[in-house]
């Protein structure tokens, strides 16, 4: 049990970093500098105000200096990331060769928030996800496990589809699915796409107020679908 508690704490810290990456993308600041600061009064936040989950609760969601409310989504991102790390650590402990798909799950979780906030599939994160997943796949399963044929077939399919229906799916979503095609089996990839599409359609019709002007973010549905399908295998 102690390992899961440690992974939860580590996941919450990673969730804090995810929130920072979203904030810095919005402000166009570097992800490394300056130190974390309040977006309202611009005061530098000391360490004790940056402890994942606890600082938000102790400060009641407000800046210690100007008393302006922090974005509550940061708290939930930290909590969700901590919970995800517990689940992913269980998958790794049960089968270390799960690491390639666990890498895809973690980075698609991260990309989910970029898609929700900015309607993009952040290209640097996608590249890192693809490279790491391929390295893990080669290490644990060998070169024969890289599905190059599936990749090229899916590339041709999306190329033709995009020529006729360019507004039905984003290029970022296509790039994400192509990177997944290198790692996932035919069955898992197909079931992931189908379930994601079904979830997106259900959301579109069951939540009529959730209709962003830029279209429906698809990465969140892909992440949830992959998590469900892989957990059921």
């Amino acid at each position: 049990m102690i390992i899961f508690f440690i992974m939860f704490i580590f996941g919450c810290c990673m969730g804090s970093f995810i929130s920072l990456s979203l904030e810095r993308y919005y402000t166009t600041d570097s992800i490394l500098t300056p130190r974390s600061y309040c977006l309202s009064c611009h005061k530098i936040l000391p360490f004790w105000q940056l402890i994942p989950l606890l600082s938000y609760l102790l400060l009641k969601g407000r800046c210690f200096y100007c008393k302006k409310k922090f974005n509550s989504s940061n708290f939930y991102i930290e909590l969700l990331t901590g919970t995800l790390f517990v689940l992913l650590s269980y998958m790794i402990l049960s089968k270390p060769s799960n690491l390639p798909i666990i890498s895809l799950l973690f980075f698609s979780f991260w990309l989910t928030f970029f898609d929700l906030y900015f309607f993009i599939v952040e290209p640097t994160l996608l590249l890192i996800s693809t490279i790491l997943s391929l390295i893990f796949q080669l290490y644990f399963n060998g070169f024969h496990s890289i599905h190059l044929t599936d990749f090229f077939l899916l590339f041709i399919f999306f190329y033709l589809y995009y020529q006729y229906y360019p507004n039905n799916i984003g290029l970022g979503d296509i790039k994400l699915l192509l990177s997944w095609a290198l790692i996932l089996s035919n069955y898992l990839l197909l079931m992931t796409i189908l379930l994601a599409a079904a979830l997106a359609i259900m959301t579109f019709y069951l939540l009529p107020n959730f209709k962003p002007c830029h279209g429906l973010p698809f990465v969140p549905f892909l992440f949830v679908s992959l998590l469900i399908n892989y957990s059921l295998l």
Side-chain angles (χ1 to χ4, degrees), residues 200-213:
I201 292 171
M202 289 172 58
T203 300
F204 186 83
Y205 285 104
L206 295 179
L207 300 175
N209 294 327
F210 184 67
K211 293 181 180 180
C213 59

Side-chain angles (χ1 to χ4, degrees), residues 156-210:
I156 293 171
F157 169 78
F158 277 129
Y159 177 80
L160 295 174
Y161 183 87
Y162 195 77
Q163 299 305 307
Y164 293 97
Y165 306 101
N167 298 321
N168 284 11
I169 188 170
L171 282 175
D173 301 322
I174 292 175
K175 292 176 183 178
L176 179 64
L177 288 170
L178 286 173
S179 72
W180 287 8
L182 292 168
I183 306 296
L184 305 181
S185 66
N186 293 335
Y187 176 78
L188 181 56
L189 182 63
L190 177 61
M191 293 304 297
T192 297
I193 294 173
L194 290 176
L195 179 57
L199 291 173
I201 292 171
M202 289 172 58
T203 300
F204 186 83
Y205 285 104
L206 295 179
L207 300 175
N209 294 327
F210 184 67

Side-chain angles (χ1 to χ4, degrees), residues 62-73:
R62 295 179 181 273
C63 174
F64 179 79
Y65 303 105
C66 66
K67 307 305 179 184
K68 290 285 187 179
K69 281 189 175 182
F70 289 128
N71 191 339
S72 61
S73 64

Side-chain angles (χ1 to χ4, degrees), residues 14 17-18 21-22 81 84-85 88 99-115 120-136 176 179-180 219-220 222-224 226-227:
M14 194 65 220
F17 185 74
I18 290 175
S21 70
L22 297 170
T81 311
L84 178 67
F85 266 58
L88 297 184
L99 200 53
I101 296 182
I102 287 172
S103 176
L104 293 180
L105 281 169
F106 168 68
F107 280 100
S108 62
F109 174 80
W110 195 340
L111 288 167
T112 285
F113 296 103
F114 274 96
D115 203 15
I120 66 163
V121 178
E122 211 288 320
T124 304
L125 278 181
L126 179 59
L127 179 61
I128 295 173
S129 170
T130 304
I131 292 173
L132 281 180
S133 299
L134 283 173
I135 291 173
F136 293 145
L176 179 64
S179 72
W180 287 8
V219 177
L222 287 171
F223 162 71
V224 171
L226 179 59
L227 183 62

